[in-house]
Amino acid sequence: MSRISEVLIGSITPYELMMGKLLGSAAVSVLLAMIYVSGGVFMANRYGYGDAIRPTDLAWLFLFLSMSVMMFGSIFITIGAACTDLKDAQGMMTPAMLLLMLPWLTWFSIINAPESPMSIALSLFPTATPFLMLMRIAIPPGPPVWQIALGVVLTTITAIGFVYAAGKIFRTGLLMQGKAATFGEMWKWVRAD
């Protein structure tokens, strides 16, 4: 009905469109988090608990917050690019929500043994890295730097891959109006040239 998407695709690539949407959403999320965290730090200092907040923990928080917004935003953009209405999107949300819930289902075992092989493996799984690696950093002595760096790299590559897939899915899905996409069809659209 509206030709806005056709005009946008005529001036930029689908990847650029999806990345622009994602970066805009991420910027808003980080700005809001900065406002809330600043208020929390102010109140902690006002009531004498400011020494419990380490500046390095705040830096890690914002890094992993940015990564989680990019990761899950890219997954949701991919789902949105394939769907034409809300009903189709709701049907595809279950696998995405399972990935989102993975850290919440495993955090207790990581608190009990942050250096166990399972904790290391789960904290390096890209969709769980932002939450679980931040948790491991907060528990002394913390993970080695190479694990943190590997988690950041894997999560960044995965988010960029999802944005690339969203662009390809959007390009093909734009022409498939009225037909609900399946995960198999979406995979074909990503692989197509």
Side-chain angles (χ1 to χ4, degrees):
M1 296 186 196
S2 174
R3 298 288 178 212
I4 293 173
S5 56
E6 286 88 348
V7 171
L8 287 173
I9 296 301
S11 59
I12 60 174
T13 65
Y15 175 80
E16 290 170 342
L17 177 65
M18 296 296 122
M19 185 58 84
K21 284 181 164 187
L22 183 59
L23 290 176
S25 298
V28 169
S29 296
V30 170
L31 176 65
L32 288 173
M34 289 174 84
I35 292 169
Y36 282 119
V37 168
S38 297
V41 169
F42 173 77
M43 292 307 289
N45 285 328
R46 183 174 173 93
Y47 289 103
Y49 295 105
D51 56 342
I53 301 171
R54 297 182 304 200
T56 55
D57 288 346
L58 293 177
W60 286 120
L61 171 72
F62 284 111
L63 172 69
F64 285 111
L65 171 71
S66 302
M67 289 175 50
S68 66
V69 170
M70 295 292 285
M71 169 63 62
F72 290 109
S74 65
I75 291 171
F76 296 138
I77 282 175
T78 303
I79 291 171
C83 300
T84 57
D85 63 358
L86 188 58
K87 188 178 85 169
D88 296 339
Q90 287 175 342
M92 293 188 164
M93 287 301 291
T94 300
M97 293 310 290
L98 288 174
L99 287 174
L100 181 67
M101 294 305 296
L102 178 68
W104 294 101
L105 298 173
T106 59
W107 71 271
F108 191 76
S109 61
I110 290 177
I111 285 180
N112 288 332
E115 297 302 320
S116 71
M118 184 181 84
S119 296
I120 293 169
L122 286 171
S123 66
L124 292 176
F125 186 70
T127 57
T129 296
F131 179 73
L132 298 180
M133 190 64 76
L134 185 61
M135 184 183 300
R136 288 184 62 214
I137 288 170
I139 301 171
V145 175
W146 72 267
Q147 289 179 7
I148 298 171
L150 181 61
V152 169
V153 168
L154 290 174
T155 304
T156 303
I157 289 171
T158 304
I160 290 171
F162 273 118
V163 172
Y164 174 76
K168 294 197 75 156
I169 290 169
F170 180 73
R171 183 184 70 189
T172 306
L174 193 62
L175 303 173
M176 305 297 235
Q177 293 292 328
K179 182 183 176 202
T182 64
F183 286 110
E185 288 174 334
M186 289 170 52
W187 181 245
K188 288 178 189 174
W189 296 348
V190 170
R191 290 190 347 231
D193 287 330

